[in-house]
Structures are given as C-alpha cells and as structure tokens.
Amino acid sequence: MELIATNEYQFLKTGLEDRIAVVAISAPKSLNALNSAILAELSHYVSNIDEDVRVLIITGDGEKSFVAGADISEMASLDYLGGCAFGKAGADLFRQIETLPIPVIAAVNGFALGGGCELAMACDIRIASNKAKFGQPEVGLGIIPGFSGTVRLARLVGMGLAKELIFTGKAIRADEALRIGLVNAVYEPEELMNAALEMARKIAENAPIAISYAKECINQEWDMPAETAIEYETEHFGKCFDTEDQKEGMRAFLNKEKAEFKGL
Ligand code: CO8
C-alpha cells in the first residue's frame, strides 16, 4: 500500500485500503522522534479514523527507524510542570490508541527506543523487522520512561526483565524481543509491511463488534480479580448475541458459506 503525505499532516504519511488504515510517523531528521506536534497530529489522526476501518497499522517512515524516542531537543529545557505535561500528552495518546475499538498493529521497522518502544507497546500486536531494536534508554538521560513504559513493559515481559531493560537502558535486537514476548514475529525488512497487511486482512474478515469486545475484555480484565473478570467476559459474550454479526456468522457456518460481517 502506498503511503502518502497530505496537507493535513506535517509528520504523518497515511494510507487506506480494504478497510485497513496505515499511518507512518515521518520526521526523518530526528529518526521519527516524537515531538509535541507529532503527538498532536497522531492524536488527531486516531480520533478521526473512518468508522469503516477495521484495523490500524502504525509504522515508521523510512528504513532506519520506527520511532527513536521522544524528542530530546524538545525535552531538554523542560521543568517539572513541563515534564508532567509532555508525559501526559504521550500517555493520553497511547491510552487512546490502546483503547481504540479496532485492533492496532505496530509494524516496527527499525529503532523503537524510549517513546518508540512505548508507542509499540500501546499497540495490540507488535511485529518487527529483523533490523529493529528495542529499548528504554531514558535513565541514561536522567529521566524514566514517561509514556507509560514502566506500566506496559512489566505487563508484557514480566517485572524482572522490565526492570533489567529499564535500569540498564540497553537496546535489544528483534530476535531477543521475540524471545521475551515483546514482539509476536520477526520478518525480513522488505516483508514486514506485507506481513502486517496480511494479519490485518485476516482480522478484518472477522466480526468487528466481537473483536472490539474481545479487545476491551482482554484490556479491562487484565488486572481484575478472576471472579469480576469472568463476569465481565460473560456480560460481553451475552452482548454479542444482540448483534446482527452473530446471526450472520452462525447462519453462514451452518450453511457452509463465508460470513459477510457488517459491524452491526
Ligand atoms: N530526539 C531527538 N533527536 C533524535 C532522537 C531523539 N530521541 N534520536 C535521534 N535523533 C536525531 C539525532 O540527534 C541526529 O540528529 P542530527 O543529524 O541533527 O545530529 C539524527 O536524529 C540521527 O541520529 P544519529 O546520528 O544519532 O543516528 P545513529 O544511527 O548514529 O544512532 C540512535 C541512532 C541509536 C537511535 C541514536 O540517535 C539515539 O541514541 N537516539 C536517542 C534514543 C533515545 O535515547 N531515545 C529515548 C528518548 S527519551 C524518551 O523517549 C522518553 C519518553 C518519555 C518522555 C516523557 C516526557 C516527560
């Protein structure tokens, strides 16, 4: 899919095909580092995704970097209040991405450091090129991960590994990220986007309301007590039977046909 720069965004390239949206962060001079303007553009973009879109893919423009972190030149002069505000802008955006009703795939094509690793972790699924590098180098700059990295890394890879990665600030290669469960799969760089699109197409064939409920359940139930989590799932399972897609899915199965889901 061809990604296009439009007048609407200075730092984003976008594409849309078969109800799959792709957005690439594009700030080549800083290896796609996230400044306030990029955070605002990305927030605007995800807030205005077309209702028909079933899957969003986030990637980095160019061959070298997904996102090389938050923009250090912008952060250098911040004080306590400025740090809180910048951290909140990133954290709010990443939570917005995490709670979108559609699945979000991070196609990590290069450096995913600091805020870049945190952006990837806010996505539902991460796949990477074998050139990708992951890490949380913030303590080497005198700060901590501030776009929710301390929250999500421990949940994804476990507390011991998260502490090691954050305390050492070391970067790990894609194969190590795969081994510890930070990414789901690793591809040759030229195969990465096709792999992301193939996964997105597979997801887009399924019932969108069911997928949004499944995403909400997995996200919300993560830190609920088991009894509450089971009730939460049961409630959403029941709600599926209020949808036309459930009728269509089961009708199609029983008639040995392919279901056509409308998201109703
Ligand atoms: N911010 C600003 N500029 C950057 C960043 C960044 N994060 N990363 C790279 N750049 C710039 C470089 O300064 C350089 O600019 P110039 O050409 O003008 O000198 C250009 O991009 C190319 O970079 P390099 O020449 O360094 O390229 P290399 O291939 O030699 O190295 C690296 C690539 C390893 C990615 C290296 O650039 C690097 O280490 N970058 C910084 C990575 C980093 O530390 N990221 C974490 C930042 S902190 C963060 O993300 C915190 C998130 C939470 C914020 C909370 C706010 C309160």
PDB file of all heavy atoms in Angstrom, residues 29-31 33 64 68-73 75 83 86-87 111 113-116 118 137-138 141 143-147, ligand 1:
ATOM      1  N   LYS A  29      14.587  13.842  10.001  1.00  0.00           N
ATOM      2  CA  LYS A  29      15.776  14.480  10.582  1.00  0.00           C
ATOM      3  C   LYS A  29      16.061  14.000  11.997  1.00  0.00           C
ATOM      4  O   LYS A  29      17.179  14.121  12.496  1.00  0.00           O
ATOM      5  CB  LYS A  29      15.593  15.999  10.592  1.00  0.00           C
ATOM      6  CG  LYS A  29      15.745  16.599   9.214  1.00  0.00           C
ATOM      7  CD  LYS A  29      15.667  18.110   9.261  1.00  0.00           C
ATOM      8  CE  LYS A  29      15.614  18.655   7.847  1.00  0.00           C
ATOM      9  NZ  LYS A  29      14.880  19.890   7.746  1.00  0.00           N
ATOM     10  N   SER A  30      15.045  13.487  12.682  1.00  0.00           N
ATOM     11  CA  SER A  30      15.252  13.034  14.066  1.00  0.00           C
ATOM     12  C   SER A  30      14.902  11.553  14.228  1.00  0.00           C
ATOM     13  O   SER A  30      14.570  11.109  15.337  1.00  0.00           O
ATOM     14  CB  SER A  30      14.410  13.878  15.018  1.00  0.00           C
ATOM     15  OG  SER A  30      13.047  13.733  14.688  1.00  0.00           O
ATOM     16  N   LEU A  31      14.989  10.794  13.150  1.00  0.00           N
ATOM     17  CA  LEU A  31      14.649   9.362  13.188  1.00  0.00           C
ATOM     18  C   LEU A  31      13.253   9.134  13.778  1.00  0.00           C
ATOM     19  O   LEU A  31      13.024   8.235  14.573  1.00  0.00           O
ATOM     20  CB  LEU A  31      15.708   8.577  13.981  1.00  0.00           C
ATOM     21  CG  LEU A  31      17.133   8.619  13.431  1.00  0.00           C
ATOM     22  CD1 LEU A  31      18.079   7.810  14.318  1.00  0.00           C
ATOM     23  CD2 LEU A  31      17.192   8.092  12.000  1.00  0.00           C
ATOM     24  N   ALA A  33      11.578  10.863  15.928  1.00  0.00           N
ATOM     25  CA  ALA A  33      11.377  11.137  17.364  1.00  0.00           C
ATOM     26  C   ALA A  33      10.089  11.936  17.557  1.00  0.00           C
ATOM     27  O   ALA A  33       9.740  12.795  16.750  1.00  0.00           O
ATOM     28  CB  ALA A  33      12.569  11.908  17.923  1.00  0.00           C
ATOM     29  N   LYS A  64      15.119   3.133   8.597  1.00  0.00           N
ATOM     30  CA  LYS A  64      16.013   3.005   9.746  1.00  0.00           C
ATOM     31  C   LYS A  64      15.302   2.986  11.097  1.00  0.00           C
ATOM     32  O   LYS A  64      15.765   2.367  12.046  1.00  0.00           O
ATOM     33  CB  LYS A  64      16.978   4.192   9.698  1.00  0.00           C
ATOM     34  CG  LYS A  64      18.153   4.074  10.622  1.00  0.00           C
ATOM     35  CD  LYS A  64      19.191   5.147  10.341  1.00  0.00           C
ATOM     36  CE  LYS A  64      20.242   5.174  11.414  1.00  0.00           C
ATOM     37  NZ  LYS A  64      21.204   6.253  11.238  1.00  0.00           N
ATOM     38  N   ALA A  68      12.530   6.843  17.305  1.00  0.00           N
ATOM     39  CA  ALA A  68      13.745   6.804  18.144  1.00  0.00           C
ATOM     40  C   ALA A  68      13.541   7.489  19.492  1.00  0.00           C
ATOM     41  O   ALA A  68      14.490   8.010  20.073  1.00  0.00           O
ATOM     42  CB  ALA A  68      14.915   7.430  17.402  1.00  0.00           C
ATOM     43  N   GLY A  69      12.291   7.511  19.952  1.00  0.00           N
ATOM     44  CA  GLY A  69      12.031   8.057  21.284  1.00  0.00           C
ATOM     45  C   GLY A  69      11.257   9.355  21.237  1.00  0.00           C
ATOM     46  O   GLY A  69      10.827   9.797  20.168  1.00  0.00           O
ATOM     47  N   ALA A  70      11.078   9.918  22.416  1.00  0.00           N
ATOM     48  CA  ALA A  70      10.542  11.276  22.468  1.00  0.00           C
ATOM     49  C   ALA A  70      11.663  12.218  22.034  1.00  0.00           C
ATOM     50  O   ALA A  70      12.846  11.865  22.109  1.00  0.00           O
ATOM     51  CB  ALA A  70      10.076  11.595  23.879  1.00  0.00           C
ATOM     52  N   ASP A  71      11.288  13.406  21.579  1.00  0.00           N
ATOM     53  CA  ASP A  71      12.270  14.333  21.016  1.00  0.00           C
ATOM     54  C   ASP A  71      13.106  14.963  22.143  1.00  0.00           C
ATOM     55  O   ASP A  71      12.605  15.755  22.944  1.00  0.00           O
ATOM     56  CB  ASP A  71      11.542  15.413  20.211  1.00  0.00           C
ATOM     57  CG  ASP A  71      12.522  16.245  19.402  1.00  0.00           C
ATOM     58  OD1 ASP A  71      13.626  16.537  19.898  1.00  0.00           O
ATOM     59  OD2 ASP A  71      12.171  16.603  18.267  1.00  0.00           O
ATOM     60  N   ILE A  72      14.378  14.563  22.186  1.00  0.00           N
ATOM     61  CA  ILE A  72      15.243  15.003  23.291  1.00  0.00           C
ATOM     62  C   ILE A  72      15.482  16.504  23.219  1.00  0.00           C
ATOM     63  O   ILE A  72      15.560  17.187  24.253  1.00  0.00           O
ATOM     64  CB  ILE A  72      16.576  14.217  23.259  1.00  0.00           C
ATOM     65  CG1 ILE A  72      16.286  12.715  23.458  1.00  0.00           C
ATOM     66  CG2 ILE A  72      17.537  14.717  24.350  1.00  0.00           C
ATOM     67  CD1 ILE A  72      17.464  11.804  23.188  1.00  0.00           C
ATOM     68  N   SER A  73      15.533  17.066  22.010  1.00  0.00           N
ATOM     69  CA  SER A  73      15.773  18.516  21.921  1.00  0.00           C
ATOM     70  C   SER A  73      14.590  19.301  22.485  1.00  0.00           C
ATOM     71  O   SER A  73      14.759  20.385  23.040  1.00  0.00           O
ATOM     72  CB  SER A  73      16.085  18.943  20.481  1.00  0.00           C
ATOM     73  OG  SER A  73      15.052  18.553  19.630  1.00  0.00           O
ATOM     74  N   MET A  75      12.643  18.070  24.946  1.00  0.00           N
ATOM     75  CA  MET A  75      12.556  17.792  26.401  1.00  0.00           C
ATOM     76  C   MET A  75      13.649  18.481  27.210  1.00  0.00           C
ATOM     77  O   MET A  75      13.492  18.687  28.415  1.00  0.00           O
ATOM     78  CB  MET A  75      12.659  16.279  26.651  1.00  0.00           C
ATOM     79  CG  MET A  75      11.416  15.506  26.280  1.00  0.00           C
ATOM     80  SD  MET A  75      11.548  13.776  26.811  1.00  0.00           S
ATOM     81  CE  MET A  75      12.868  13.178  25.791  1.00  0.00           C
ATOM     82  N   GLY A  83       7.554  18.683  32.171  1.00  0.00           N
ATOM     83  CA  GLY A  83       7.737  17.227  32.080  1.00  0.00           C
ATOM     84  C   GLY A  83       6.420  16.496  32.276  1.00  0.00           C
ATOM     85  O   GLY A  83       6.091  15.564  31.531  1.00  0.00           O
ATOM     86  N   PHE A  86       4.242  17.080  29.122  1.00  0.00           N
ATOM     87  CA  PHE A  86       4.697  16.332  27.953  1.00  0.00           C
ATOM     88  C   PHE A  86       4.418  14.835  28.154  1.00  0.00           C
ATOM     89  O   PHE A  86       3.935  14.141  27.253  1.00  0.00           O
ATOM     90  CB  PHE A  86       6.195  16.578  27.724  1.00  0.00           C
ATOM     91  CG  PHE A  86       6.714  16.069  26.412  1.00  0.00           C
ATOM     92  CD1 PHE A  86       6.105  16.412  25.211  1.00  0.00           C
ATOM     93  CD2 PHE A  86       7.824  15.242  26.363  1.00  0.00           C
ATOM     94  CE1 PHE A  86       6.594  15.946  23.991  1.00  0.00           C
ATOM     95  CE2 PHE A  86       8.325  14.762  25.154  1.00  0.00           C
ATOM     96  CZ  PHE A  86       7.702  15.113  23.972  1.00  0.00           C
ATOM     97  N   GLY A  87       4.723  14.351  29.363  1.00  0.00           N
ATOM     98  CA  GLY A  87       4.442  12.948  29.678  1.00  0.00           C
ATOM     99  C   GLY A  87       2.959  12.631  29.526  1.00  0.00           C
ATOM    100  O   GLY A  87       2.585  11.607  28.955  1.00  0.00           O
ATOM    101  N   PHE A 111      14.546   1.419  14.775  1.00  0.00           N
ATOM    102  CA  PHE A 111      14.677   1.790  16.186  1.00  0.00           C
ATOM    103  C   PHE A 111      13.303   1.991  16.847  1.00  0.00           C
ATOM    104  O   PHE A 111      12.474   2.753  16.359  1.00  0.00           O
ATOM    105  CB  PHE A 111      15.471   3.088  16.327  1.00  0.00           C
ATOM    106  CG  PHE A 111      16.920   2.952  15.962  1.00  0.00           C
ATOM    107  CD1 PHE A 111      17.450   3.658  14.888  1.00  0.00           C
ATOM    108  CD2 PHE A 111      17.759   2.119  16.685  1.00  0.00           C
ATOM    109  CE1 PHE A 111      18.789   3.525  14.546  1.00  0.00           C
ATOM    110  CE2 PHE A 111      19.108   1.977  16.348  1.00  0.00           C
ATOM    111  CZ  PHE A 111      19.616   2.688  15.277  1.00  0.00           C
ATOM    112  N   LEU A 113      12.914   2.975  20.409  1.00  0.00           N
ATOM    113  CA  LEU A 113      13.591   3.298  21.672  1.00  0.00           C
ATOM    114  C   LEU A 113      12.744   4.274  22.472  1.00  0.00           C
ATOM    115  O   LEU A 113      12.035   5.111  21.904  1.00  0.00           O
ATOM    116  CB  LEU A 113      14.957   3.924  21.382  1.00  0.00           C
ATOM    117  CG  LEU A 113      15.914   3.042  20.565  1.00  0.00           C
ATOM    118  CD1 LEU A 113      17.181   3.798  20.208  1.00  0.00           C
ATOM    119  CD2 LEU A 113      16.255   1.757  21.319  1.00  0.00           C
ATOM    120  N   GLY A 114      12.830   4.191  23.787  1.00  0.00           N
ATOM    121  CA  GLY A 114      12.104   5.131  24.640  1.00  0.00           C
ATOM    122  C   GLY A 114      10.637   5.213  24.245  1.00  0.00           C
ATOM    123  O   GLY A 114       9.929   4.208  24.223  1.00  0.00           O
ATOM    124  N   GLY A 115      10.205   6.432  23.896  1.00  0.00           N
ATOM    125  CA  GLY A 115       8.810   6.628  23.482  1.00  0.00           C
ATOM    126  C   GLY A 115       8.417   5.779  22.288  1.00  0.00           C
ATOM    127  O   GLY A 115       7.230   5.503  22.094  1.00  0.00           O
ATOM    128  N   GLY A 116       9.373   5.338  21.493  1.00  0.00           N
ATOM    129  CA  GLY A 116       9.068   4.471  20.357  1.00  0.00           C
ATOM    130  C   GLY A 116       8.705   3.072  20.807  1.00  0.00           C
ATOM    131  O   GLY A 116       7.749   2.459  20.311  1.00  0.00           O
ATOM    132  N   GLU A 118       7.536   2.516  23.724  1.00  0.00           N
ATOM    133  CA  GLU A 118       6.273   2.724  24.454  1.00  0.00           C
ATOM    134  C   GLU A 118       5.081   2.820  23.492  1.00  0.00           C
ATOM    135  O   GLU A 118       4.002   2.323  23.786  1.00  0.00           O
ATOM    136  CB  GLU A 118       6.388   3.979  25.323  1.00  0.00           C
ATOM    137  CG  GLU A 118       7.372   3.778  26.481  1.00  0.00           C
ATOM    138  CD  GLU A 118       7.730   5.073  27.192  1.00  0.00           C
ATOM    139  OE1 GLU A 118       8.248   5.998  26.531  1.00  0.00           O
ATOM    140  OE2 GLU A 118       7.488   5.167  28.404  1.00  0.00           O
ATOM    141  N   PRO A 137      15.982   3.632  26.967  1.00  0.00           N
ATOM    142  CA  PRO A 137      17.261   4.211  27.402  1.00  0.00           C
ATOM    143  C   PRO A 137      17.131   5.442  28.299  1.00  0.00           C
ATOM    144  O   PRO A 137      18.130   6.114  28.565  1.00  0.00           O
ATOM    145  CB  PRO A 137      17.914   4.603  26.062  1.00  0.00           C
ATOM    146  CG  PRO A 137      16.781   4.866  25.142  1.00  0.00           C
ATOM    147  CD  PRO A 137      15.629   4.038  25.587  1.00  0.00           C
ATOM    148  N   GLU A 138      15.930   5.713  28.808  1.00  0.00           N
ATOM    149  CA  GLU A 138      15.678   7.000  29.474  1.00  0.00           C
ATOM    150  C   GLU A 138      16.608   7.294  30.648  1.00  0.00           C
ATOM    151  O   GLU A 138      17.000   8.443  30.852  1.00  0.00           O
ATOM    152  CB  GLU A 138      14.217   7.068  29.967  1.00  0.00           C
ATOM    153  CG  GLU A 138      13.199   7.309  28.869  1.00  0.00           C
ATOM    154  CD  GLU A 138      12.670   6.025  28.245  1.00  0.00           C
ATOM    155  OE1 GLU A 138      13.285   4.951  28.421  1.00  0.00           O
ATOM    156  OE2 GLU A 138      11.638   6.093  27.567  1.00  0.00           O
ATOM    157  N   LEU A 141      19.460   9.368  30.254  1.00  0.00           N
ATOM    158  CA  LEU A 141      19.207  10.796  30.016  1.00  0.00           C
ATOM    159  C   LEU A 141      18.744  11.496  31.300  1.00  0.00           C
ATOM    160  O   LEU A 141      18.355  12.659  31.276  1.00  0.00           O
ATOM    161  CB  LEU A 141      18.120  10.967  28.938  1.00  0.00           C
ATOM    162  CG  LEU A 141      18.446  10.423  27.549  1.00  0.00           C
ATOM    163  CD1 LEU A 141      17.160  10.247  26.728  1.00  0.00           C
ATOM    164  CD2 LEU A 141      19.395  11.367  26.822  1.00  0.00           C
ATOM    165  N   ILE A 143      16.055  10.604  33.044  1.00  0.00           N
ATOM    166  CA  ILE A 143      14.598  10.543  33.224  1.00  0.00           C
ATOM    167  C   ILE A 143      14.174   9.068  33.262  1.00  0.00           C
ATOM    168  O   ILE A 143      15.015   8.175  33.101  1.00  0.00           O
ATOM    169  CB  ILE A 143      13.826  11.285  32.091  1.00  0.00           C
ATOM    170  CG1 ILE A 143      14.183  10.709  30.710  1.00  0.00           C
ATOM    171  CG2 ILE A 143      14.125  12.781  32.139  1.00  0.00           C
ATOM    172  CD1 ILE A 143      13.329  11.265  29.569  1.00  0.00           C
ATOM    173  N   ILE A 144      12.882   8.853  33.461  1.00  0.00           N
ATOM    174  CA  ILE A 144      12.359   7.480  33.399  1.00  0.00           C
ATOM    175  C   ILE A 144      11.427   7.392  32.188  1.00  0.00           C
ATOM    176  O   ILE A 144      11.033   8.426  31.634  1.00  0.00           O
ATOM    177  CB  ILE A 144      11.597   7.082  34.692  1.00  0.00           C
ATOM    178  CG1 ILE A 144      10.329   7.955  34.886  1.00  0.00           C
ATOM    179  CG2 ILE A 144      12.518   7.161  35.904  1.00  0.00           C
ATOM    180  CD1 ILE A 144       9.404   7.449  35.987  1.00  0.00           C
ATOM    181  N   PRO A 145      11.075   6.172  31.772  1.00  0.00           N
ATOM    182  CA  PRO A 145      10.068   6.079  30.707  1.00  0.00           C
ATOM    183  C   PRO A 145       8.830   6.859  31.142  1.00  0.00           C
ATOM    184  O   PRO A 145       8.327   6.642  32.251  1.00  0.00           O
ATOM    185  CB  PRO A 145       9.776   4.575  30.618  1.00  0.00           C
ATOM    186  CG  PRO A 145      11.031   3.928  31.124  1.00  0.00           C
ATOM    187  CD  PRO A 145      11.526   4.847  32.224  1.00  0.00           C
ATOM    188  N   GLY A 146       8.384   7.782  30.302  1.00  0.00           N
ATOM    189  CA  GLY A 146       7.295   8.679  30.732  1.00  0.00           C
ATOM    190  C   GLY A 146       6.054   8.588  29.892  1.00  0.00           C
ATOM    191  O   GLY A 146       5.090   9.320  30.102  1.00  0.00           O
ATOM    192  N   PHE A 147       6.071   7.703  28.896  1.00  0.00           N
ATOM    193  CA  PHE A 147       4.854   7.485  28.100  1.00  0.00           C
ATOM    194  C   PHE A 147       4.309   6.086  28.428  1.00  0.00           C
ATOM    195  O   PHE A 147       4.006   5.289  27.564  1.00  0.00           O
ATOM    196  CB  PHE A 147       5.151   7.607  26.598  1.00  0.00           C
ATOM    197  CG  PHE A 147       5.498   9.000  26.114  1.00  0.00           C
ATOM    198  CD1 PHE A 147       6.058   9.182  24.847  1.00  0.00           C
ATOM    199  CD2 PHE A 147       5.258  10.130  26.869  1.00  0.00           C
ATOM    200  CE1 PHE A 147       6.367  10.454  24.358  1.00  0.00           C
ATOM    201  CE2 PHE A 147       5.578  11.413  26.405  1.00  0.00           C
ATOM    202  CZ  PHE A 147       6.139  11.569  25.146  1.00  0.00           C
TER     203      PHE A 147
HETATM  204  N1  CO8 B   1      15.279  13.026  19.943  1.00  0.00           N
HETATM  205  C1  CO8 B   1      15.786  13.994  19.140  1.00  0.00           C
HETATM  206  N2  CO8 B   1      16.615  13.763  18.107  1.00  0.00           N
HETATM  207  C2  CO8 B   1      16.960  12.494  17.877  1.00  0.00           C
HETATM  208  C3  CO8 B   1      16.492  11.429  18.666  1.00  0.00           C
HETATM  209  C4  CO8 B   1      15.599  11.740  19.746  1.00  0.00           C
HETATM  210  N3  CO8 B   1      15.054  10.786  20.528  1.00  0.00           N
HETATM  211  N4  CO8 B   1      17.007  10.281  18.202  1.00  0.00           N
HETATM  212  C5  CO8 B   1      17.791  10.616  17.151  1.00  0.00           C
HETATM  213  N5  CO8 B   1      17.762  11.939  16.951  1.00  0.00           N
HETATM  214  C6  CO8 B   1      18.469  12.702  15.915  1.00  0.00           C
HETATM  215  C7  CO8 B   1      19.958  12.830  16.238  1.00  0.00           C
HETATM  216  O1  CO8 B   1      20.180  13.867  17.158  1.00  0.00           O
HETATM  217  C8  CO8 B   1      20.530  13.105  14.862  1.00  0.00           C
HETATM  218  O2  CO8 B   1      20.324  14.457  14.555  1.00  0.00           O
HETATM  219  P1  CO8 B   1      21.488  15.286  13.796  1.00  0.00           P
HETATM  220  O3  CO8 B   1      21.595  14.625  12.449  1.00  0.00           O
HETATM  221  O4  CO8 B   1      20.921  16.672  13.718  1.00  0.00           O
HETATM  222  O5  CO8 B   1      22.717  15.151  14.607  1.00  0.00           O
HETATM  223  C9  CO8 B   1      19.619  12.283  13.942  1.00  0.00           C
HETATM  224  O6  CO8 B   1      18.433  12.003  14.690  1.00  0.00           O
HETATM  225  C10 CO8 B   1      20.227  10.963  13.531  1.00  0.00           C
HETATM  226  O7  CO8 B   1      20.632  10.304  14.714  1.00  0.00           O
HETATM  227  P2  CO8 B   1      22.105   9.699  14.916  1.00  0.00           P
HETATM  228  O8  CO8 B   1      23.093  10.461  14.121  1.00  0.00           O
HETATM  229  O9  CO8 B   1      22.340   9.610  16.387  1.00  0.00           O
HETATM  230  O10 CO8 B   1      21.913   8.267  14.261  1.00  0.00           O
HETATM  231  P3  CO8 B   1      22.673   6.924  14.664  1.00  0.00           P
HETATM  232  O11 CO8 B   1      22.304   5.914  13.642  1.00  0.00           O
HETATM  233  O12 CO8 B   1      24.108   7.177  14.906  1.00  0.00           O
HETATM  234  O13 CO8 B   1      22.024   6.485  16.083  1.00  0.00           O
HETATM  235  C11 CO8 B   1      20.214   6.100  17.629  1.00  0.00           C
HETATM  236  C12 CO8 B   1      20.655   6.142  16.140  1.00  0.00           C
HETATM  237  C13 CO8 B   1      20.914   4.943  18.335  1.00  0.00           C
HETATM  238  C14 CO8 B   1      18.704   5.868  17.612  1.00  0.00           C
HETATM  239  C15 CO8 B   1      20.581   7.426  18.312  1.00  0.00           C
HETATM  240  O14 CO8 B   1      20.104   8.500  17.503  1.00  0.00           O
HETATM  241  C16 CO8 B   1      19.999   7.582  19.663  1.00  0.00           C
HETATM  242  O15 CO8 B   1      20.526   7.031  20.620  1.00  0.00           O
HETATM  243  N6  CO8 B   1      18.887   8.352  19.797  1.00  0.00           N
HETATM  244  C17 CO8 B   1      18.272   8.615  21.050  1.00  0.00           C
HETATM  245  C18 CO8 B   1      17.496   7.412  21.519  1.00  0.00           C
HETATM  246  C19 CO8 B   1      16.883   7.700  22.872  1.00  0.00           C
HETATM  247  O16 CO8 B   1      17.554   7.930  23.847  1.00  0.00           O
HETATM  248  N7  CO8 B   1      15.534   7.635  22.919  1.00  0.00           N
HETATM  249  C20 CO8 B   1      14.804   7.853  24.118  1.00  0.00           C
HETATM  250  C21 CO8 B   1      14.476   9.278  24.275  1.00  0.00           C
HETATM  251  S1  CO8 B   1      13.731   9.598  25.846  1.00  0.00           S
HETATM  252  C22 CO8 B   1      12.151   9.093  25.661  1.00  0.00           C
HETATM  253  O17 CO8 B   1      11.743   8.578  24.662  1.00  0.00           O
HETATM  254  C23 CO8 B   1      11.293   9.312  26.837  1.00  0.00           C
HETATM  255  C24 CO8 B   1       9.824   9.022  26.584  1.00  0.00           C
HETATM  256  C25 CO8 B   1       9.005   9.548  27.689  1.00  0.00           C
HETATM  257  C26 CO8 B   1       9.012  11.045  27.710  1.00  0.00           C
HETATM  258  C27 CO8 B   1       8.378  11.583  28.908  1.00  0.00           C
HETATM  259  C28 CO8 B   1       8.449  13.099  28.945  1.00  0.00           C
HETATM  260  C29 CO8 B   1       8.464  13.684  30.253  1.00  0.00           C
END
